[in-house]
Amino acid sequence: MTRRLLFSSFFAFTLASANDTFQRDPNQPIDESYTQRIKKYTTAPALNSPLTDYLPASPSIPTPEKVLGDVAGAPGILPYAEDVYRYFRMLAAATPRVQVFTIGHTEEGREMIAVAVADEALLAQTKQNAARLAQLADPRTIQLDDAKAQSLVSQAFPVYYITGTIHSPETGAPTALMEMAYRLAVDNAPYIQYIRSHMITLITPVVEVDGRDRMVDLYKWHLAHPRQIWPRLLYWGHYVAHDNNRDAMGMTLNLTQNVLNTYLEWHAQVLHDLHESVPFLYDNTVGDGPYNSWIDPILTGEWSMLAYDNMAQMQNFGMPGAFTHGNFDTWSPGYLMFLATLHNGISRLYETFGNGGADTEKRILSPDQYSRTWYRPNPPYPTVLWSQRDNNNYEETALLSTLFYFANNAKLFLNNFYLKSKRSVNKPADAGPAAYVLARDEHYTNRQLQLLKVLALQHVEIQQLTKAVTVALPPPAHKDEPEEKPSTPPPPPPPTSQTFPAGSFAIRMDQPFSRIADALLDRQFWSPDDPQKQPYDDTGWSFGDLFNAKVSRVVDRSILSAPMSPIADIGRLSETELADGPLYVVNHSAQVTLASLVYALHGSAEVSVCEEGFESGGKKFPAGSLIVSSVDAGKLKPLLRQFDLTAAGIASQPSVRLHPAAAPRIAFMHTWLYTQTEGWWRMAFDKLHVPFAYISTQTAAKDPDLRSKYDVIIFAPVAGQPAQHIVDGLPMWGNALPWQTSELTPNLGKLDSTEDMRPGLGEDGLAHLKKFVQDGGLLITSEDTAEFAIDEGMAPGVFVSPRKTMKVVGSVLSSAVVDSKNPLAYGYEGAVPLYSANGLAFTVSNLIVNRNILTLKEYKRPTGRGGPEDEDTPEGRPTEKAPPLPAPKAWQATPLNEDQERNNPFLIPLEYRPKVILRYAAMKELLLSGLLENGDPVAEHAAVVQARFGKGDVLLFANNPVYRGETIGSYALVFNAIVNFGHLH
């Protein structure tokens, strides 16, 4: 039989026998009451399937009703995480087919669990199976021997890991997974028996546990206050909300670390994450392009296999609205499921439909949701009465059918697991590169160590060169060079080799997890001509740039033969002998932890900042370096190690200008509109042990003397909110929206609380904030809050550069220091990579109004004598040369002539004019990573500006310097402002 006939016959058989495949065991009794309520709560027969329209009965094993008081998906019932866990532990106590494990805790101390479901015989072999899978995961342990691998494949069974409710308002997964676990443990349907006898299903029912409990609180409030608007879930996790599903690169959140560690400890083949935002089931496994450039092509085939079979089964069941193509590009590796993608597994994600609670609601869809198209032949209904039970039906049906398909193809997927791991190990000989090397250089060491810690959390192997090594460089990429002038000597030829000193860090690509290292350390390019015009998330994330860590991509495979040794403890890499003082100098090289040291020593030692560079003991120290005195070496040394810093002992104070290092009183100010983006900032400060108070815009509205309490207020981004929304808050009609701890809502109001989330900063709060700065305070702003400060008149002479047709979507752009003597720029030299969300940039002026002043670039000569560059000459009088027009750079203010300055009330006095600290690079050097289209409105424009307002300052970042734990290289810009508070002029 030909391949084509075999293929056709297989699918004909699949379609014909689908109903037979999923038949239940006619000899097993069903739970009649539970089954009737499944039918009752399902709003239309087509919204269920034969897999989930009944529940088998067991005399000894409890159903979810035991904990919920009703069936899974029943209206009005949303269990806390601890109730979900209680059910799974009851299940484990009742049957040997279920085991429950603690996998870690959240930032607020709540437990995270994993539940393993399989036949008792399989669970008894968990350790032996893990040992076999570990060898497939690291083929070096079997010398990349395919025969040995096949033997392991024949003996091993796979692990399929399902995670639920990372996004807290998407509430249905926990109850669906409770009921599905019961089915897998109890049901005797042949297909269920086959699943549990051929694989382990691993379940983490609640990923964002802190947010789940807060969401349940809000739902309880909603039930207690029917027909009222209920508060939105402002805080999900302790720090971030929706972005908790963007942490798979930076690994900053406990939930990300716990899931990855569990996935790798079990050597799972699949990580399948459950979401709820698309009607009725979007299996975005296939999604849309562009796909991430570092994934193994085997994976794209697996995505298609699993998704197309899954969708075929959903069509066979007649369930509308199931599809697998869509607008989700699989480019960014930041999603939780991508932990599997770049660790040689299979990533999957469902989007089902949810109501943000357990109410049954009439939902009206938009045409783009219900329209029929080639990939959605049976679309969702335009109008639907939708229940949480409907949601559970879809989630369970799709999962059970895909688990059966996976179990039937277990050996294929296990073999692919081995092949992807083997191909990762063989990467240097195939696609390359051979390695990434972080050249040992004291200027970069602190930030390099932060990067190495992230790679270690990704379970990437890190080595250190024990001797210097020289590698060949590839020829440079061809670029159109400008035509050389005859008098200009030719440029020197590009270097052909590079030498890395001993102590440099090497990330070899001949290791199982080479792909995640390659994806993070390489650069990305998203073409402006790509057919995908709406990137789903960031388009660039090159960690070598964002950490400002001096990372080299090495293609010369001789690097793999260089002498190197594994690094066992990254924390010890910064350890050095500390000579007795009495003074110690901590070199300033834009380390992320200098402020940490200043605060740790505050009150127990004297710390000064050098305003000029100096030399001591043959070593040069730049401006901004810290001089530490009145401290014992025994106290200083552990702090230096904790913060990845080094210090040198000197005998006496250097003869340069100094000022005391500040440890100012800091407040983070948040709105009640959105707290996620500022949450990344709070996390960074907490991890770096820099203390702060936490206040809201409502606090500022009530306090006329903020300056008496705080020196620095940080107003981090608010997710693109216009200034008027920040001032006004939410509309004040209707009922109050409380965020408070109460008997009804015990998990709310912990980070901050309010009787009513609706009021914003208000005119009083705006006046108080202005007074805070005018009285000498420092206001730090970024992105939309920088625009807010400009719009509200707190940054005289600073304006937003018009974006026009420019397009930037989460890209890495290059910038340069403009004022190297400014304390804000201490430690920075050369190019400074910055993360830009949307290409925001500033222009500055010597006027407080954005008035156009003619420049040489804009001047167009009128008709007259001579050529285009000549001046016209009136006849009948002597020629008088016109004064030259100003020719400022894009980041500079246009100078005014005497006439323009004369009697001009809008002219800003010299000492109050804004100072540009960093400006974006020229167009040819601007894009480092990601998407940039029509970049002239940002090229060479101001990126970081210090604006004077009264006695204080407003620091404006066009970029986000503290973002997702990924922008370590720009953290020091913020901390420089803090440590040098009071001395920024």
Side-chain angles (χ1 to χ4, degrees):
M1 188 179 291
T2 66
R3 257 179 92 185
R4 184 172 178 184
L5 284 173
L6 263 172
F7 191 74
S8 300
S9 300
F10 169 75
F11 273 98
F13 172 78
T14 301
L15 295 173
S17 61
N19 292 332
D20 295 337
T21 300
F22 297 104
Q23 280 189 344
R24 64 184 182 87
D25 178 4
N27 298 316
Q28 184 176 27
I30 65 170
D31 186 321
E32 293 287 356
S33 173
Y34 198 108
T35 299
Q36 285 302 313
R37 279 173 287 163
I38 291 175
K39 182 178 180 181
K40 177 182 177 181
Y41 302 143
T42 299
T43 60
L47 304 182
N48 207 347
S49 75
L51 282 65
T52 53
D53 64 1
Y54 72 97
L55 193 78
S58 169
S60 57
I61 300 175
T63 71
E65 184 177 8
K66 187 72 174 178
V67 167
L68 300 176
D70 206 332
V71 307
I77 296 176
L78 207 63
Y80 286 108
E82 46 267 46
D83 295 325
V84 176
Y85 296 172
R86 183 158 55 93
Y87 174 70
F88 278 111
R89 289 193 162 106
M90 291 171 63
L91 204 57
T95 172
R97 292 174 177 168
V98 178
Q99 294 179 357
V100 178
F101 307 88
T102 297
I103 63 171
H105 293 81
T106 69
E107 283 79 4
E108 296 180 2
R110 292 179 177 86
E111 183 188 22
M112 290 181 65
I113 68 168
V115 181
V117 187
D119 274 349
E120 182 179 4
L122 259 62
L123 292 179
Q125 301 176 53
T126 296
K127 289 185 178 179
Q128 299 92 319
N129 189 62
R132 298 185 193 105
L133 294 177
Q135 294 178 80
L136 295 175
D138 187 355
R140 297 172 300 180
T141 59
I142 55 173
Q143 298 75 50
L144 280 69
D145 188 321
D146 292 351
K148 291 180 180 177
Q150 290 310 307
S151 176
L152 291 166
V153 167
S154 68
Q155 301 172 64
F157 48 87
V159 180
Y160 196 110
Y161 189 15
I162 304 168
T163 53
T165 312
I166 186 172
H167 284 165
S168 303
E170 300 169 6
T171 55
T175 51
L177 293 172
M178 290 165 68
E179 187 175 279
M180 191 184 78
Y182 174 89
R183 295 180 188 279
L184 289 172
V186 172
D187 204 328
N188 289 330
Y191 85 95
I192 294 279
Q193 293 189 58
Y194 193 88
I195 293 171
R196 67 175 177 244
S197 63
H198 285 79
M199 60 183 286
I200 291 177
T201 302
L202 193 65
I203 299 169
T204 291
V206 183
V207 172
E208 178 53 271
V209 188
D210 297 336
R212 173 67 180 192
D213 285 358
R214 282 190 267 274
M215 184 64 201
V216 176
D217 276 6
L218 286 180
Y219 186 66
K220 287 168 56 184
W221 189 96
H222 159 65
L223 293 178
H225 300 82
R227 294 179 297 281
Q228 290 192 23
I229 299 290
W230 39 311
R232 296 170 303 113
L233 186 63
L234 194 69
Y235 295 93
W236 301 12
H238 188 76
Y239 294 111
V240 298
H242 188 274
D243 258 14
N244 59 11
N245 194 34
R246 302 296 186 272
D247 189 48
M249 290 190 281
M251 299 294 295
T252 63
L253 299 172
N254 289 9
L255 66 84
T256 317
Q257 296 174 28
N258 293 339
V259 169
L260 179 60
N261 291 341
T262 304
Y263 175 82
L264 295 179
E265 179 183 340
W266 285 79
H267 305 287
Q269 283 63 61
V270 182
L271 178 57
H272 193 150
D273 200 23
L274 304 182
H275 291 251
E276 298 170 22
S277 67
V278 178
F280 293 145
L281 174 71
Y282 172 29
D283 179 350
N284 76 4
T285 300
V286 173
D288 198 0
Y291 282 0
N292 182 278
S293 293
W294 293 267
I295 62 175
D296 192 307
I298 292 174
L299 174 60
T300 65
E302 293 173 317
W303 281 341
S304 295
M305 290 172 63
L306 289 161
Y308 289 137
D309 179 81
N310 217 178
M311 292 305 101
Q313 299 303 343
M314 298 299 287
Q315 302 309 322
N316 292 341
F317 299 137
M319 300 180 78
F323 60 102
T324 188
H325 286 276
N327 64 355
F328 173 77
D329 63 75
T330 314
W331 175 249
S332 167
Y335 312 106
L336 186 77
M337 66 171 181
F338 245 85
L339 295 174
T341 305
L342 293 174
H343 289 85
N344 302 320
I346 303 170
S347 55
R348 298 196 69 193
L349 188 149
Y350 286 164
E351 293 277 9
T352 51
F353 206 31
N355 291 337
D359 289 359
T360 299
E361 301 278 5
K362 178 183 178 180
R363 303 295 300 274
I364 302 172
L365 277 57
S366 60
D368 66 304
Q369 293 175 312
Y370 64 71
S371 60
R372 182 166 62 91
T373 186
W374 66 269
Y375 61 81
R376 196 170 52 200
N378 183 10
Y381 304 137
T383 303
V384 64
L385 184 65
W386 188 262
S387 68
Q388 183 155 271
R389 182 65 222 183
D390 297 331
N391 170 284
N392 283 191
N393 293 338
Y394 270 78
E395 286 184 324
E396 290 186 61
T397 296
L399 282 171
L400 290 169
S401 63
T402 208
L403 289 174
F404 180 62
Y405 178 82
F406 189 81
N408 272 280
N409 293 277
K411 300 308 178 186
L412 169 66
F413 290 115
L414 284 172
N415 188 61
N416 285 353
F417 180 63
Y418 161 71
L419 287 175
K420 287 180 289 187
S421 301
K422 178 182 176 182
R423 284 154 63 127
S424 292
V425 173
N426 285 333
K427 203 174 196 306
D430 294 335
Y436 287 87
V437 179
L438 287 66
R440 193 66 190 257
D441 183 331
E442 185 179 342
H443 184 79
Y444 295 92
T445 300
N446 177 268
R447 296 185 302 280
Q448 288 177 338
L449 294 180
Q450 313 316 308
L451 177 53
L452 295 180
K453 289 176 183 178
V454 173
L455 294 175
L457 290 171
Q458 294 279 6
H459 295 254
V460 171
E461 298 169 4
I462 304 165
Q463 309 248 354
Q464 191 167 28
L465 297 179
T466 55
K467 292 183 180 179
V469 61
T470 300
V471 299
L473 294 177
H478 172 73
K479 290 184 179 179
D480 293 332
E481 297 293 339
E483 185 178 343
E484 293 181 16
K485 298 179 181 179
S487 60
T488 305
T496 58
S497 64
Q498 183 176 5
T499 298
F500 299 106
S504 297
F505 308 111
I507 315 299
R508 302 171 64 105
M509 292 292 102
D510 56 350
Q511 61 169 297
F513 300 147
S514 61
R515 294 191 187 281
I516 180 61
D518 196 13
L520 295 182
L521 299 177
D522 205 353
R523 284 178 172 172
Q524 299 75 41
F525 177 72
W526 184 299
S527 171
D529 297 322
D530 193 280
Q532 175 62 270
K533 297 303 180 185
Q534 300 295 328
Y536 203 81
D537 201 69
D538 291 342
T539 58
W541 55 82
S542 47
F543 272 31
D545 294 318
L546 288 175
F547 280 64
N548 197 11
K550 198 176 183 179
V551 177
S552 298
R553 186 176 189 267
V554 178
V555 298
D556 183 355
R557 279 180 276 167
S558 69
I559 186 71
L560 301 176
S561 302
M564 61 182 75
S565 58
I567 294 175
D569 183 359
I570 295 173
R572 302 188 70 89
L573 291 174
S574 60
E575 278 194 346
T576 57
E577 290 300 319
L578 186 62
D580 288 337
L583 304 175
Y584 302 94
V585 186
V586 181
N587 182 62
H588 196 324
S589 57
Q591 302 100 313
V592 69
T593 50
L594 282 181
S596 310
L597 181 66
V598 170
Y599 276 92
L601 292 172
H602 182 60
S604 64
E606 294 182 10
V607 185
S608 300
V609 179
C610 301
E611 297 182 3
E612 306 166 64
F614 69 94
E615 187 172 341
S616 178
K619 186 174 181 180
K620 293 182 178 180
F621 298 95
S625 296
L626 303 181
I627 308 290
V628 183
S629 60
S630 303
V631 65
D632 183 78
K635 177 179 181 179
L636 182 59
K637 187 172 181 178
L639 290 174
L640 293 172
R641 179 186 174 187
Q642 178 184 355
F643 300 131
D644 297 317
L645 297 169
T646 58
I650 59 174
S652 60
Q653 284 276 19
S655 55
V656 296
R657 290 196 306 271
L658 305 172
H659 65 254
R665 302 164 299 168
I666 300 171
F668 271 91
M669 184 175 73
H670 71 90
T671 71
W672 289 100
L673 299 170
Y674 197 70
T675 61
Q676 172 170 275
T677 315
E678 60 89 12
W680 291 116
W681 289 59
R682 284 191 290 111
M683 174 189 287
F685 276 61
D686 277 347
K687 287 179 179 286
L688 293 169
H689 305 281
V690 177
F692 59 87
Y694 192 52
I695 66 174
S696 75
T697 49
Q698 293 180 4
T699 309
K702 296 172 184 175
D703 191 339
D705 192 10
L706 294 166
R707 184 69 185 87
S708 67
K709 301 176 181 65
Y710 313 113
D711 304 306
V712 178
I713 291 178
I714 297 175
F715 195 17
V718 196
Q721 297 291 335
Q724 199 61 49
H725 286 186
I726 292 171
V727 173
D728 291 347
L730 295 170
M732 290 300 293
W733 50 66
N735 54 277
L737 304 177
W739 186 275
Q740 293 175 305
T741 305
S742 68
E743 185 176 350
L744 187 63
T745 57
N747 299 291
L748 303 186
K750 303 299 185 183
L751 288 166
D752 199 0
S753 64
T754 178
E755 295 178 352
D756 189 355
M757 297 165 63
R758 295 174 301 166
L761 180 64
E763 295 300 329
D764 286 346
L766 181 59
H768 298 163
L769 191 61
K770 287 183 176 181
K771 183 176 183 296
F772 163 80
V773 181
Q774 290 169 327
D775 288 348
L778 171 63
L779 177 64
I780 298 177
T781 64
S782 171
E783 297 184 329
D784 58 348
T785 59
E787 294 188 72
F788 159 81
I790 292 169
D791 291 345
E792 297 298 344
M794 288 186 280
V798 186
F799 305 94
V800 173
S801 175
R803 294 186 177 93
K804 302 177 183 175
T805 59
M806 182 268 299
K807 186 175 184 180
V808 169
V809 181
S811 300
V812 186
L813 305 180
S814 183
S815 74
V817 174
V818 173
D819 185 359
S820 61
K821 293 183 179 181
N822 192 299
L824 297 168
Y826 283 163
Y828 286 95
E829 59 183 34
V832 182
L834 301 177
Y835 168 81
S836 177
N838 57 14
L840 178 67
F842 304 127
T843 60
V844 296
S845 173
N846 295 331
L847 301 171
I848 63 169
V849 291
N850 195 11
R851 182 171 295 168
N852 184 56
I853 299 170
L854 188 65
T855 65
L856 184 62
K857 182 179 179 181
E858 298 161 332
Y859 173 73
K860 306 295 182 185
R861 67 151 290 182
T863 301
R865 64 149 298 280
E869 304 301 323
D870 294 325
E871 291 188 20
D872 193 17
T873 306
E875 297 294 326
R877 72 180 199 194
T879 300
E880 185 173 337
K881 192 170 182 64
L885 290 172
K889 301 293 185 182
W891 68 88
Q892 295 173 329
T894 302
L896 280 67
N897 61 36
E898 292 178 50
D899 190 63
Q900 292 164 336
E901 289 185 353
R902 180 170 51 86
N903 197 34
N904 189 340
F906 300 110
L907 180 67
I908 303 173
L910 186 63
E911 65 272 22
Y912 287 99
R913 292 177 184 175
K915 298 177 183 179
V916 176
I917 312 303
L918 264 68
R919 54 92 174 171
Y920 284 110
M923 189 64 200
K924 287 183 68 173
E925 294 82 35
L926 182 57
L927 179 65
L928 295 175
S929 188
L931 167 65
L932 173 65
E933 184 175 11
N934 301 325
D936 286 335
V938 67
E940 298 191 272
H941 285 70
V944 181
V945 178
Q946 176 188 357
R948 194 75 188 270
F949 189 59
K951 297 177 183 178
D953 296 275
V954 177
L955 184 56
L956 306 121
F957 287 95
N959 63 308
N960 187 344
V962 185
Y963 176 70
R964 293 183 178 175
E966 299 172 7
T967 59
I968 296 295
S970 54
Y971 278 22
L973 294 167
V974 176
F975 291 120
N976 277 346
I978 291 170
V979 170
N980 293 283
F981 174 75
H983 301 274
L984 296 179
H985 301 283

